[in-house]
Amino acid sequence: GDSVTQMEGPVTLSEEAFLTINCTYTATGYPSLFWYVQYPGEGLQLLLKATKADDKGSNKGFEATYRKETTSFHLEKGSVQVSDSAVYFCALSVGTSYDKVIFGPGTSLSVIP
Amino acid sequence: DSGVTQTPKHLITATGQRVTLRCSPRSGDLSVYWYQQSLDQGLQFLIQYYNGEERAKGNILERFSAQQFPDLHSELNLSSLELGDSALYFCASSVESGGETQYFGPGTRLLVL
């Protein structure tokens, strides 16, 4: 079945460090891919998305490129800030129906000053 | 603020009891989704309603049920509660049934003692 795998956390980085959170997926068909972020005590927010191969989603300095050949959608940021501390979820939805979004397990990121 | 509201914010109850969680979607959104987030299971899709009708079902237990009312708010009913039902329950909404972007509420934290 369709699934999402993320690198295990927690990830701890110093401020201004480079961030990569790996995400790979298994899906039948051609999924849309998403990164959601959950700040402490809050619900999830869509961070970025990509709907077809080679698309790059970007927002707030974060980027992810839809790589069909490697079935990956890794999240990157060049210089993290303390305010980026959160849990990051990779997710997919398949086909023309986005009724079911399948989430990865989440990766917790802590950025220390 | 996503525009999705959930009440109550916290709920403490005993095993065997029944509770109702409430969600008001963003203005104009017709779809409501319910998710359960727990430490061991991660974020699990439970059920989706679109304009009052059940649209998709995920890993929802038979003890759980939901409905969406004519004013589009939704309620998730959890009965015969067990310790393992302790979790964060999120509601999300989107414009259409196939809405790619889901907007999440702040969640209801349920503790079953």
Side-chain angles (χ1 to χ4, degrees):
Chain A
D2 302 329
S3 65
V4 176
T5 303
Q6 287 179 240
M7 62 186 287
E8 288 192 20
V11 174
T12 303
L13 295 173
S14 297
E15 209 165 17
E16 298 183 3
F18 184 85
L19 168 71
T20 299
I21 300 178
N22 291 337
C23 170
T24 56
Y25 66 89
T26 302
T28 52
Y30 301 96
S32 289
L33 302 173
F34 309 83
W35 277 100
Y36 280 81
V37 58
Q38 183 179 26
Y39 297 104
E42 298 183 13
L44 280 71
Q45 304 173 27
L46 180 67
L47 181 59
L48 53 85
K49 68 181 182 184
T51 57
K52 62 183 189 296
D54 299 324
D55 269 1
K56 178 187 279 188
S58 60
N59 186 25
K60 299 183 182 179
F62 291 90
E63 292 182 342
T65 301
Y66 188 144
R67 301 284 188 204
K68 191 177 173 199
E69 63 277 10
T70 54
T71 61
S72 65
F73 193 54
H74 305 321
L75 182 69
E76 296 182 337
K77 187 174 185 183
S79 176
V80 293
Q81 305 300 312
V82 172
S83 57
D84 294 327
S85 297
V87 180
Y88 292 81
F89 293 88
C90 186
L92 68 82
S93 62
V94 182
T96 56
S97 168
Y98 301 104
D99 299 336
K100 277 192 237 184
V101 178
I102 297 169
F103 288 87
T107 301
S108 175
L109 169 67
S110 291
V111 180
I112 53 177
Chain B
D1 184 356
S2 67
V4 178
T5 60
Q6 289 187 248
T7 56
K9 193 166 180 146
H10 301 278
L11 199 48
I12 302 175
T13 188
T15 54
Q17 295 298 306
R18 182 178 189 274
V19 297
T20 297
L21 313 183
R22 183 189 167 103
C23 167
S24 292
R26 289 189 325 154
S27 177
D29 285 0
L30 298 179
S31 265
V32 168
Y33 310 75
W34 285 98
Y35 293 87
Q36 180 194 58
Q37 185 179 37
S38 60
L39 282 174
D40 54 343
Q41 298 282 335
L43 192 62
Q44 301 275 323
F45 166 72
L46 295 178
I47 196 164
Q48 182 217 352
Y49 278 80
Y50 173 72
N51 204 21
E53 302 284 330
E54 183 184 303
R55 182 77 164 91
K57 226 169 185 175
N59 300 322
I60 188 165
L61 299 171
E62 284 191 14
R63 301 183 286 108
F64 295 0
S65 65
Q67 55 184 324
Q68 187 179 26
F69 294 87
D71 67 352
L72 301 177
H73 91 272
S74 177
E75 293 181 356
L76 179 67
N77 300 297
L78 315 176
S79 61
S80 303
L81 284 167
E82 302 175 0
L83 296 178
D85 297 327
S86 297
L88 256 175
Y89 290 85
F90 286 107
C91 166
S93 72
S94 66
V95 174
E96 299 175 354
S97 178
E100 285 188 6
T101 301
Q102 297 182 16
Y103 296 87
F104 281 75
T108 292
R109 185 173 292 280
L110 174 66
L111 180 59
V112 182
L113 299 174

